Amino acid sequence: MKQRDIQVLQEMGITYWQVRKPELFPNQVLPVINLPAECKLLFIAAEELDEHDAWLFGRILSSMKLTPQQALSLPLSALDQIAEHHLTWCWFAGCQGAHPTDCQVLNSASLKLMHNDPSSKKALWQQICSYDA
């Protein structure tokens, strides 16, 4: 990618991108994702959140005593690009993957499914509480 293209993406606030057909660029080096120091929870999901999902996500964050500024959402494919981090939590919602080292891992159904499934909310809460013990 040309430096000008990278600059345009940065000016648009896009700090992460993914090439759709990486096989066309065999010598391309994947960009490293540097998480902000205040990021304590990494949310990994297979699908993007809509407003209803974002509301539930915010409620769960507040129950964990975290703010939205302390959380970051990434697609599963970006996990291997994470550099050093200060994460406390790594939450996989509706997907599975290798998590970054030195963090507590949560696994749940996707947020879309959790809206109408109290048992999946309860299972997530039990996982969160298990780390406090």
Side-chain angles (χ1 to χ4, degrees):
M1 182 174 279
K2 295 178 183 174
Q3 183 62 32
R4 172 74 179 128
D5 295 336
I6 293 171
Q7 183 179 0
V8 169
L9 290 173
Q10 289 174 342
E11 288 174 5
M12 293 170 49
I14 299 172
T15 57
Y16 172 79
W17 61 88
Q18 184 175 10
V19 176
R20 288 187 193 184
K21 296 183 180 181
E23 63 275 5
L24 297 176
F25 305 96
N27 297 328
Q28 179 171 344
V29 177
L30 292 175
V32 173
I33 300 172
N34 293 308
L35 300 177
E38 66 270 5
C39 183
K40 299 298 176 200
L41 181 139
L42 186 60
F43 180 73
I44 309 297
E47 50 198 35
E48 289 189 36
L49 303 182
D50 61 22
E51 283 185 37
H52 198 54
D53 298 337
W55 174 84
L56 179 59
F57 181 64
R59 299 275 307 206
I60 295 169
L61 282 179
S62 66
S63 72
M64 296 172 72
K65 297 182 177 40
L66 295 172
T67 64
Q69 293 77 21
Q70 293 175 299
L72 182 67
S73 177
L74 288 176
L76 184 61
S77 60
L79 275 178
D80 56 351
Q81 295 170 252
I82 295 175
E84 291 184 29
H85 63 81
H86 302 285
L87 293 171
T88 304
W89 302 94
C90 185
W91 175 8
F92 291 91
C95 61
Q96 295 289 323
H99 59 85
T101 57
D102 300 328
C103 62
Q104 300 168 351
V105 180
L106 303 172
N107 291 289
S108 73
S110 70
L111 290 179
K112 290 193 183 331
L113 296 176
M114 289 180 78
H115 288 290
N116 299 317
D117 185 7
S119 63
S120 64
K121 291 177 192 174
K122 181 179 179 180
L124 176 62
W125 184 247
Q126 288 172 337
Q127 287 179 63
I128 294 167
C129 292
S130 72
Y131 287 108
D132 291 336

